[in-house]
Amino acid sequence: MFNNSINRIWIALLIATGATFWLGESGLSGSAGMTPVLLMFTLAAAKGLWVIYDFMELRHAPALWKRLLVGWLGFVTGMIVLAYWIGQR
């Protein structure tokens, strides 16, 4: 099962999902400042990259497609973090 890279990535996605769920439900995001929130969004961005590169099979795609999708992921993640930060001020 773990010889295939897709299976390893799938397990990593499950672990990252569990970690983000735990961080969100633990209450740390309200008391510890931005650190847990940034960790949750870093994990979410890593999950997005795994999906883009491996499950959508864009690892060997033309550079334009990779730039568009990774740029979109970075933009959306950045806007959500910015909105959270503005809301905390």
Side-chain angles (χ1 to χ4, degrees), residues 38-69:
L38 290 176
L39 181 59
M40 285 191 304
F41 280 105
T42 301
L43 285 170
K47 288 168 43 179
L49 288 173
W50 279 329
V51 169
I52 288 169
Y53 283 133
D54 294 303
F55 284 94
M56 294 174 70
E57 296 185 1
L58 291 178
R59 187 169 299 278
H60 304 292
L64 176 63
W65 283 108
K66 290 191 274 192
R67 287 186 195 123
L68 283 173
L69 287 170

Side-chain angles (χ1 to χ4, degrees), residues 12-89:
L13 286 168
L14 288 175
I15 292 168
T17 299
T20 54
F21 177 78
W22 178 80
L23 280 169
E25 293 294 319
S26 68
L28 291 174
S29 60
S31 62
M34 285 288 288
T35 304
V37 173
L38 290 176
L39 181 59
M40 285 191 304
F41 280 105
T42 301
L43 285 170
K47 288 168 43 179
L49 288 173
W50 279 329
V51 169
I52 288 169
Y53 283 133
D54 294 303
F55 284 94
M56 294 174 70
E57 296 185 1
L58 291 178
R59 187 169 299 278
H60 304 292
L64 176 63
W65 283 108
K66 290 191 274 192
R67 287 186 195 123
L68 283 173
L69 287 170
V70 172
W72 172 82
L73 178 65
F75 176 75
V76 170
T77 304
M79 290 294 105
I80 294 171
V81 170
L82 178 65
Y84 179 82
W85 179 72
I86 289 171
Q88 293 298 309
R89 292 179 34 167

